[in-house]
């Protein structure tokens, strides 16, 4: 049990970010190949594609850090939404599956176009493998951890 387990919000957010980030990272390596460019592309969102690709291991590590920070941000957003809408934790499986879809399209239609990568925002890309991966490996674990660390209502 993590030392911060007495703080359920922090626990759900950190573990949700780590688990979603790890699942997404594993998928990315299996789908795109075991290469530095997988996470250098993430760093490219901050510093530009050319700088990231030319940076070697340091930009791979920066991209990895950013990847897990972003995943933790999505976990925090779900946690916050679940405080306002408790149905998200009562129906965690369906909410998590839907949230994975939201995360995928949120990243591709909002975050990436606003980043230094300047990807096209519309129409949204449909890539069945990455969409399914976000549904099951990102949204679902975030929602299930939020449910696990939500104290029952009095």
């Amino acid at each position: 049990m993590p030392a911060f387990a007495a703080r359920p919000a922090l626990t759900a957010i950190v573990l949700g970010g780590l688990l979603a980030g790890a699942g997404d990272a594993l998928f990315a390596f299996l789908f795109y190949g075991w290469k530095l460019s997988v996470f250098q592309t993430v760093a490219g969102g901050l510093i530009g594609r050319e700088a990231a690709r030319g940076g070697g291991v340091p930009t791979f590590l920066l991209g990895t850090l950013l990847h897990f920070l972003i995943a933790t941000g999505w976990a925090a957003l779900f946690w916050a939404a679940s405080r306002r809408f408790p149905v998200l934790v009562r129906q965690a499986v369906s909410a998590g599956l839907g949230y994975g879809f939201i995360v995928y399209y949120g990243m591709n239609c909002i975050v990436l176009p606003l980043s230094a990568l300047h990807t096209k925002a519309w129409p949204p890309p449909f890539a069945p493998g990455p969409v399914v991966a976000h549904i099951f490996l990102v949204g679902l674990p975030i929602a299930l951890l939020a449910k696990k660390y939500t104290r029952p209502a009095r």
Side-chain angles (χ1 to χ4, degrees):
M1 185 68 67
F4 50 83
R7 303 172 76 182
L10 183 61
T11 304
I13 292 167
V14 170
L15 291 180
L18 288 173
L19 191 56
D24 188 38
L26 178 61
F27 171 78
F29 280 128
L30 294 173
F31 191 77
Y32 300 109
W34 294 87
K35 46 193 171 189
L36 292 178
S37 63
V38 169
F39 284 110
Q40 286 174 327
T41 301
V42 178
L46 182 65
I47 63 174
R49 189 179 316 270
E50 292 76 26
R53 291 280 169 94
V57 173
T59 56
F60 169 81
L61 294 173
L62 173 63
T64 303
L65 174 67
L66 292 171
H67 172 77
F68 281 96
L69 286 173
I70 292 165
T72 302
W74 285 109
L77 184 61
F78 186 89
W79 180 267
S82 73
R83 303 305 89 185
R84 179 83 168 99
F85 305 103
V87 69
L88 294 175
V89 288
R90 285 195 308 268
Q91 301 294 326
V93 172
S94 55
L97 297 175
Y99 193 61
F101 192 80
I102 289 167
V103 170
Y104 176 80
Y105 284 103
M107 288 299 299
N108 283 280
C109 295
I110 299 168
V111 176
L112 291 175
L114 294 173
S115 76
L117 295 173
H118 306 296
T119 62
K120 186 173 145 189
W122 199 261
F126 179 72
V131 171
V132 169
H134 276 78
I135 289 170
F136 288 100
L137 301 176
V138 176
L140 187 59
I142 287 172
L144 292 176
L145 282 162
K147 179 177 181 152
K148 177 181 169 103
Y149 288 99
T150 294
R151 293 189 176 131
R154 295 179 186 218

